[in-house]
Amino acid sequence: MLLRNQVEWALHCCAVMVGMPAERFLATKVLAEFHEVPKEYLSKALQSLSQAGIIEGTLGPNGGYRLAKAPSEITFLDVVEAVEGRTSSFACTEIRRNNPCRPTRMRDPKPCAVARVMWEADAAWRKTLRGVRLSDLAKTLESDIPAELAAKNTEWLLARS
Amino acid sequence: MLLRNQVEWALHCCAVMVGMPAERFLATKVLAEFHEVPKEYLSKALQSLSQAGIIEGTLGPNGGYRLAKAPSEITFLDVVEAVEGRTSSFACTEIRRNNPCRPTRMRDPKPCAVARVMWEADAAWRKTLRGVRLSDLAKTLESDIPAELAAKNTEWLLARS
DNA sequence: CGGTTACGGATACTTCGTATCCTTAAACCA
DNA sequence: TGGTTTAAGGATACGAAGTATCCGTAACCG
Ligand code: SF4
Ligand code: SF4
């Protein structure tokens, strides 16, 4: 069970956008070159984010994407679910219905104990992701990344928009 | 991102074994017929559980598998990790190293902020699974499943061992 | 108008989960 | 002792899903 690498790309792109001056758009091409990932494929991830209302895009020269909301209004879960989907990691096939002893017309009042536990774990995973916002990430990166490098990154990105 | 359905099978097989009288072995063939899943493929999942020390197998007629430990000593996480693996759901490709502005010889003191959050969420998922034991599951099933059906299941399974 | 960009559909490639088959070795039984 | 049953594990085929690329369209800009 592995998350798509688009999740990583999407999160990094968001991290980059948080550091950009408001109203400025970043083109897919620039983001792809910055991370050295295939432009066309990264585009799909950004489209997912756009569709989810996390970022917004504009066309034409100087076009691209920017955050559609305040960084404090965007959680990790928003980003992850936009590209990975909202379905639980545990899929229930209802194999208990195959039980040969079970009366054919028996009704299942509720999801079985196994599924409930697995879904609870999935909820805990999502709760953790929902608890971290892009604004939190920005603050962490501020102390993680040397100010000099951060400035150089912003400059590099803006020069190509 | 989806767990293999072997996880579901493994958990259900464990649930069944908890209800069996101690020392009795259940053959792969019987477990497969009970759940209506392919015997040869289910066998792989059971082998994983066996290798993880969760169940133990014996050969020959009346052979099969049984729990290797007390139900209170086996957690959901043990079962899930045995078949699904212990690697985190978030794989870090270290794409921050591709940053063209980054000094080539720069050392990364620690995993970046993005990865730390994702791994924290993964830890929360595992923590939830570690908190539920097979003995807990047995207790829940006891109130979920009519006693009559439970008895019939046990009888059906024992008759074929 | 021509160039740039997001957008979305279609398509190929690659990886991984699913499933089956076969052989070996151990345990049991007649 | 020899034949049967079963777990164990390697090899292989198949299918689904993730990865990646290509192309046409529509919007934006100078
Ligand atoms: S986990 Fe429970 S609800 Fe899901 S298929 Fe198995 S028995 Fe049914
Ligand atoms: S998540 Fe962080 S550590 Fe992992 S690849 Fe991205 S930048 Fe590197």
Side-chain angles (χ1 to χ4, degrees), chain B residues 70-82:
Chain B
S72 60
E73 298 299 317
I74 304 173
T75 70
F76 267 59
L77 184 64
D78 293 329
V79 177
V80 170
E81 286 192 335

Side-chain angles (χ1 to χ4, degrees), chain B residues 75-78 81 123 125-133:
Chain B
T75 70
F76 267 59
L77 184 64
D78 293 329
E81 286 192 335
W125 181 73
R126 292 187 143 82
K127 184 183 176 185
T128 303
L129 293 181
R130 186 163 35 232
V132 184
R133 296 176 289 214

Side-chain angles (χ1 to χ4, degrees), chain A residues 5-143:
Chain A
N5 54 19
Q6 287 198 334
V7 171
E8 182 182 1
W9 301 354
L11 287 170
H12 280 78
C13 287
C14 286
V16 162
M17 289 194 225
V18 174
M20 296 298 291
E23 318 255 322
R24 286 299 296 266
F25 290 94
L26 280 182
T28 306
K29 188 184 164 194
V30 176
L31 286 167
E33 285 172 359
F34 186 79
H35 293 120
E36 287 185 21
V37 297
K39 162 179 165 295
E40 332 261 344
Y41 191 34
L42 173 64
S43 168
K44 303 294 184 188
L46 295 174
Q47 282 176 40
S48 300
L49 294 182
S50 172
Q51 226 173 340
I54 296 169
I55 62 180
E56 57 188 0
T58 188
L59 299 178
N62 297 328
Y65 293 102
R66 69 182 174 197
L67 293 184
K69 298 190 266 185
S72 61
E73 298 299 317
I74 304 173
T75 71
F76 266 58
L77 185 64
D78 294 329
V79 178
V80 170
E81 286 191 335
V83 28
E84 187 66 42
R86 281 147 219 85
T87 63
S88 165
S89 58
F90 180 76
C92 166
T93 328
E94 284 291 345
I95 65 174
R96 62 174 166 179
R97 294 214 181 132
N98 300 335
N99 182 339
C101 306
R102 168 176 285 249
T104 41
R105 292 245 160 261
M106 180 177 181
R107 277 251 143 264
D108 301 313
K110 50 182 174 182
C112 94
V114 174
R116 289 206 301 274
V117 172
M118 296 303 292
W119 290 338
E120 192 187 329
D122 191 89
W125 181 73
R126 292 188 143 79
K127 184 184 176 187
T128 304
L129 293 181
R130 187 162 36 232
V132 184
R133 296 177 289 217
L134 284 192
S135 49
D136 303 322
L137 174 63
K139 196 168 286 184
T140 306
L141 288 177
E142 212 172 303
S143 55

Side-chain angles (χ1 to χ4, degrees), chain B residues 82-112:
Chain B
V83 28
E84 187 65 41
R86 281 147 217 86
T87 63
S88 166
S89 58
F90 180 76
C92 166
T93 328
E94 285 290 344
I95 64 174
R96 61 174 167 176
R97 295 214 181 133
N98 300 336
N99 181 339
C101 306
R102 167 176 286 249
T104 42
R105 292 243 160 262
M106 179 176 182
R107 277 251 143 265
D108 301 315
K110 50 181 175 183
C112 94

